[in-house]
Amino acid sequence: MAAVPCVDGSAGGFGCLNVGLEAQLTIAELGGRNPDRLTDVWGWTDPATGAEIAIVLSSFATVFVDVTRPSEPVVLARLPSPSAVSDILPPRDVKVYRDHAYVVGESPGHGLQVLDLTALRELTESPAVLVETARYSGFSTAHNLAVNPESGFGYVARSDACPGGLHIVDLADPAAPAPAGCFATGRTHDVQCVDYAGPAVAFRGRELCFGSNETFVAVSDVTDKAAPVLVSATTYDGVGYTHQGWLTEDHRYFLVGDEFDEMQQGHDTRTWVFDVADPAAPSPVGFYQATVPAVDHNLYVVGDLAYLANYRSGLRIVRLDDPATASLT
């Protein structure tokens, strides 16, 4: 299909505001089975060629799509799920570090699948079927994965090897992950880990993880992988399921999506804002409420914009006017 601009609130049959539809690929066009589900998406920009690659997860495979020309996406290759998988379960997650993709999944036997993404430069056919570069078997199942690109460590959430916490993996050799620790801080669903550079002088230079832990936001100091420390645990009014969050670029505020509050309390989509100027004492300053009742899922912050993914209202982009008062537009 050709690119479709946003005109009179519609683009290719989808509601829109200031965002057009460049292209759309079906599960069948991605090579998915029937039935199949798409479970996550990440990306990689090839530092040598500039190619922009979307990494799309289905229940059965990782699909690599060249979106350098957004209106003309090309399915380059598929990496099947690990052969050790005994039962296909949909939830899978992927992150990228030093030109390697790392994939986890809830299917028993999945472990951490590794692919050297530079292999995409040498394809002789399209779509190609790839072979994994390596697989780390320090755990069998996991729900989510975070990578701190500054420290070079991966943080696996909800794995069977570190129930309820973070299974820490050393990625110093990107093709040979090694175990580095386990830290149980309640049931961590998702996490962002950073080399802290925020306003709290006492924590500068420390590696902190900001976790979404079902009923509270957890801040952990994981600088010492053998002895991580829980810095704080903060809940908020109307908590349903603290699902996922992301820091502003100055590490001053943490935006959080709650997966259950809309369903449990009947209000419209809420995005919570926490003031984390002091990681030892975060404070929820309020929430931004949309005009639809969709369940929020994942969000990411780039500059003064937050990109919010929802179950039934697509992608919504909000401007951070004044996070101190949870003022978003």
Side-chain angles (χ1 to χ4, degrees), residues 250-269:
D250 60 3
H251 296 177
R252 171 66 191 266
Y253 299 97
F254 188 60
L255 276 65
V256 175
D258 187 309
E259 191 176 16
F260 288 175
D261 57 352
E262 291 86 8
M263 294 183 289
Q264 292 176 348
Q265 301 179 41
H267 55 65
D268 286 340
T269 314

Side-chain angles (χ1 to χ4, degrees), residues 25-156:
L25 294 174
T26 65
I27 291 180
E29 289 170 323
L30 290 168
R33 303 183 188 182
N34 185 21
D36 202 348
R37 289 177 60 186
L38 303 185
T39 68
D40 210 339
V41 63
W42 203 248
W44 174 63
T45 300
D46 188 327
T49 68
E52 297 184 35
I53 309 298
I55 305 173
V56 185
L57 295 185
S58 79
S59 301
F60 300 92
T62 304
V63 187
F64 301 90
V65 184
D66 190 324
V67 294
T68 309
R69 295 169 64 98
S71 61
E72 300 176 12
V74 178
V75 179
L76 297 178
R78 290 169 56 85
L79 173 66
S81 293
S83 58
V85 165
S86 60
D87 183 26
I88 296 294
L89 299 175
R92 303 176 75 222
D93 193 38
V94 59
K95 295 297 185 294
V96 171
Y97 175 67
R98 287 177 55 186
D99 303 330
H100 286 69
Y102 299 90
V103 186
V104 302
E106 291 194 0
S107 298
H110 193 291
L112 179 63
Q113 196 174 27
V114 185
L115 179 73
D116 183 345
L117 292 167
T118 62
L120 297 174
R121 301 173 187 162
E122 303 169 358
L123 301 179
T124 58
E125 60 180 354
S126 181
V129 177
L130 301 175
V131 176
E132 63 191 27
T133 303
R135 194 170 70 87
Y136 170 82
S137 57
F139 59 88
S140 173
T141 63
H143 186 70
N144 273 325
L145 166 69
V147 172
N148 179 359
E150 296 177 299
S151 71
F153 284 89
Y155 297 87
V156 181

Side-chain angles (χ1 to χ4, degrees), residues 52 77 124 128 142 167 215 279 303 317 327:
E52 297 184 35
T124 58
H167 181 88
T215 57
I317 304 168
S327 297

Side-chain angles (χ1 to χ4, degrees), residues 92-296:
R92 303 176 75 222
D93 193 38
V94 59
K95 295 297 185 294
V96 171
Y97 175 67
R98 287 177 55 186
D99 303 330
H100 286 69
Y102 299 90
V103 186
V104 302
E106 291 194 0
S107 298
H110 193 291
L112 179 63
Q113 196 174 27
V114 185
L115 179 73
D116 183 345
L117 292 167
T118 62
L120 297 174
R121 301 173 187 162
E122 303 169 358
L123 301 179
T124 58
E125 60 180 354
S126 181
V129 177
L130 301 175
V131 176
E132 63 191 27
T133 303
R135 194 170 70 87
Y136 170 82
S137 57
F139 59 88
S140 173
T141 63
H143 186 70
N144 273 325
L145 166 69
V147 172
N148 179 359
E150 296 177 299
S151 71
F153 284 89
Y155 297 87
V156 181
R158 287 188 35 191
S159 74
D160 59 333
C162 185
L166 298 173
H167 181 88
I168 308 173
V169 182
D170 187 345
L171 304 177
D173 181 347
C182 167
F183 185 44
T185 58
R187 288 180 57 82
T188 302
H189 176 266
D190 210 337
V191 68
Q192 182 189 10
C193 300
V194 299
D195 286 1
Y196 180 75
V201 175
F203 290 97
R204 288 207 186 139
R206 309 292 294 178
E207 186 173 9
L208 300 185
C209 289
F210 292 77
S212 298
N213 285 41
E214 296 193 347
T215 57
F216 61 93
V217 169
V219 181
S220 305
D221 187 333
V222 296
T223 309
D224 182 352
K225 306 301 180 287
V229 176
L230 180 63
V231 175
S232 61
T234 309
T235 191
Y236 49 96
D237 291 339
V239 62
Y241 189 96
T242 311
H243 181 266
Q244 185 263 357
W246 207 255
L247 289 162
T248 54
E249 293 186 349
D250 60 3
H251 296 177
R252 171 66 191 266
Y253 299 97
F254 188 60
L255 276 65
V256 175
D258 187 309
E259 191 176 16
F260 288 175
D261 57 352
E262 291 86 8
M263 294 183 289
Q264 292 176 348
Q265 301 179 41
H267 55 65
D268 286 340
T269 314
R270 286 182 179 176
T271 302
W272 281 87
V273 180
F274 285 73
D275 186 336
V276 292
D278 180 0
S283 173
V285 298
F287 54 82
Y288 162 76
Q289 184 156 303
T291 57
V292 291
V295 172
D296 41 349

